[in-house]
Amino acid sequence: MSRASVKTPARDPEKSRARILQAARDEFARHGLGGARVDRIAKVAGLNKRNAWYAAVVTILMLSLAGIPLTVGFIAKYAVLQTLVLSGSTFNLGLAIFAVVASLIGAFYYLRVIKTIYFEPVQDRAAIEAPADVRILMSLNALAVVA
């Protein structure tokens, strides 16, 4: 059989992207914040004193989720709201108002995490270290969300 007659399966970019995202999630779950899973806000108390780099990355990501200007989160929220408002539909205008209110409520929770990171007393004084590859990936992720 010649090489020309061998058919390779078509690659699905969505499946490839999903595999990459799953690998990134698995890597973060393994190494996370020094291997510790964070399921309560109190676990990040004083993170700035344990590892300032982690604190900065988490802060940038939280600000983006909150939709603070100069982040990708803001640009995305602005684009969606602009589209809803410019559509001229009363329903879409109501949806935009609801989205703004929900965004403000969400921002309260994101900012609460940031407050906990920087202003709450440290519960565990052990330093948090991460492998170089994890630090590089998280740094690139944080840079990517800053417009």
Side-chain angles (χ1 to χ4, degrees), residues 23-84:
R25 277 188 226 118
D26 292 345
E27 186 69 18
F28 186 72
R30 269 196 300 278
H31 298 290
L33 293 173
R37 295 192 64 90
V38 178
D39 57 354
R40 293 190 181 97
I41 293 176
K43 287 189 177 181
V44 295
L47 179 61
N48 186 45
K49 292 176 180 61
R50 296 178 66 200
N51 189 319
W53 174 80
Y54 268 131
V57 169
V58 172
T59 299
I60 291 169
L61 297 176
M62 288 292 165
L63 291 175
S64 182
L65 286 171
I68 302 300
L70 301 178
T71 64
V72 172
F74 171 78
I75 294 169
K77 287 180 182 187
Y78 180 78
V80 169
L81 292 173
Q82 182 181 29
T83 303
L84 286 172

Side-chain angles (χ1 to χ4, degrees), residues 127-145:
I128 299 173
E129 297 298 324
D133 58 340
V134 173
R135 288 193 311 263
I136 291 169
L137 286 173
M138 288 184 69
S139 297
L140 290 174
N141 190 9
L143 287 174
V145 301

